[in-house]
């Protein structure tokens, strides 16, 4: 099955399906692994296989993940993969009703809390990563004066740059260049504020 490049989420049911703490962990874990079984994911998130299987089926019901080609001879194992390389959830698709606004805000807060948790874990484990990774890991803040159009343009350029490096890394890995290669999270936020 050919996967979509990016899947826009515009309906409330799919947003709510993804905006569940365990489901988002499973979706992110599957994105990193590319393919996995419920047993493998259950080990990662320290939950029962039956619970993980239930939540994977819920993600599949909304088209966020799909069955993958079996990666082993064990016919009892069900393999999963994301149905797209990424999802996008835009504010503009959830402004039309108070329930949709509230669901979008709750989902955004959950995603941010999980991302912040990932970064806190990196900070806690930082000594174990060594100087080359700690020097390479960016941690910066820019305070800019922009219009909404300029901020949107900046966001699109940053996303395109991240996609370029993702493609570069995947191509190198597919060619056998795996030495020193790790999963890397890049979180970018841009938002207006007043002092």
């Amino acid at each position: 099955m050919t996967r979509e490049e990016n899947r826009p989420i515009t309906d409330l049911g799919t947003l709510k399906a993804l905006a569940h703490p365990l489901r988002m962990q499973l979706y992110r874990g599957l994105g990193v692994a590319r393919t996995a079984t419920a047993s493998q994911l259950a080990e990662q998130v320290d939950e029962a296989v039956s619970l993980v299987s239930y939540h994977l089926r819920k993600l599949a019901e909304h088209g966020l993940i799909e069955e993958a080609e079996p990666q082993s001879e064990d016919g009892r194992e069900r393999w999963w993969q994301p149905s797209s390389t990424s999802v996008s959830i835009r504010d503009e698709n959830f402004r039309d009703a108070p329930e949709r606004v509230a669901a979008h805000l709750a989902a955004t807060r959950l995603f941010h809390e999980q991302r912040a948790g990932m970064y806190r874990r990196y900070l806690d484990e930082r000594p174990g990563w060594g100087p080359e990774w700690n020097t390479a890991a960016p941690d910066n803040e820019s305070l800019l004066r922009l219009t909404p159009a300029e901020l949107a343009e900046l966001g699109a350029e940053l996303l395109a740059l991240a996609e370029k490096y993702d493609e570069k890394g995947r191509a190198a890995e597919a060619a056998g260049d795996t030495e020193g290669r790790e999963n890397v999270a890049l979180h970018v936020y841009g938002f207006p504020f007043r002092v």
Side-chain angles (χ1 to χ4, degrees), residues 22 25-26 39-49 51-52:
L22 180 56
Q25 276 186 286
L26 295 171
S39 298
Q40 292 168 335
L41 292 167
E43 196 173 302
Q44 284 181 21
V45 297
D46 196 27
E47 292 288 351
V49 175
L51 180 65
V52 168

Side-chain angles (χ1 to χ4, degrees), residues 6 21 58 125:
N6 178 31
K58 288 295 180 189
E125 297 172 353

